Amino acid sequence: MDIAKEIAGSKGRYVIRRDGEEAELTFSIASPVLVIADHTGVPDSFRGTGAGRALVERLVADARAEGFKVVPLCPFVNGLRRRHPEWADVFQG
């Protein structure tokens, strides 16, 4: 899936666009080394495609590559974090 990363000031999001709809994972940049995952929104047309998981996997990959930690306030992100102990290195809290 093609995932775009968009940042505007201290807010950002990962987004997948398809057929005029968007699945997104939004985040806040608390500091250069701390990002807060706020919300994951996946339209019904994306359900079952793995879009939500792909967004979280991109967040994890970027955290590792860019050296920041993630606070998983979003219940979806937090749920996936619990199921993937191999991601523990990027999560805080």
Side-chain angles (χ1 to χ4, degrees):
M1 289 186 198
D2 187 31
I3 300 173
K5 183 178 183 179
E6 301 172 349
I7 298 176
S10 65
K11 299 285 186 183
R13 72 182 188 145
Y14 293 98
V15 61
I16 301 169
R17 293 180 177 91
R18 188 180 74 189
D19 299 328
E21 292 194 291
E22 296 181 341
E24 69 174 2
L25 187 163
T26 62
F27 58 89
S28 298
I29 302 167
S31 77
V33 294
L34 189 65
V35 166
I36 301 166
D38 308 306
H39 172 74
T40 304
V42 179
D44 287 341
S45 65
F46 280 80
R47 298 218 186 270
T49 65
R53 180 186 168 108
L55 292 166
V56 177
E57 288 173 343
R58 171 67 187 273
L59 172 66
V60 168
D62 283 1
R64 287 181 175 147
E66 298 171 23
F68 61 82
K69 295 285 186 184
V70 178
V71 176
L73 289 186
C74 168
F76 181 78
V77 174
N78 201 29
L80 276 180
R81 173 192 64 91
R82 287 188 182 127
R83 282 178 262 155
H84 293 276
E86 69 275 18
W87 296 348
D89 60 307
V90 303
F91 287 101
Q92 179 175 309

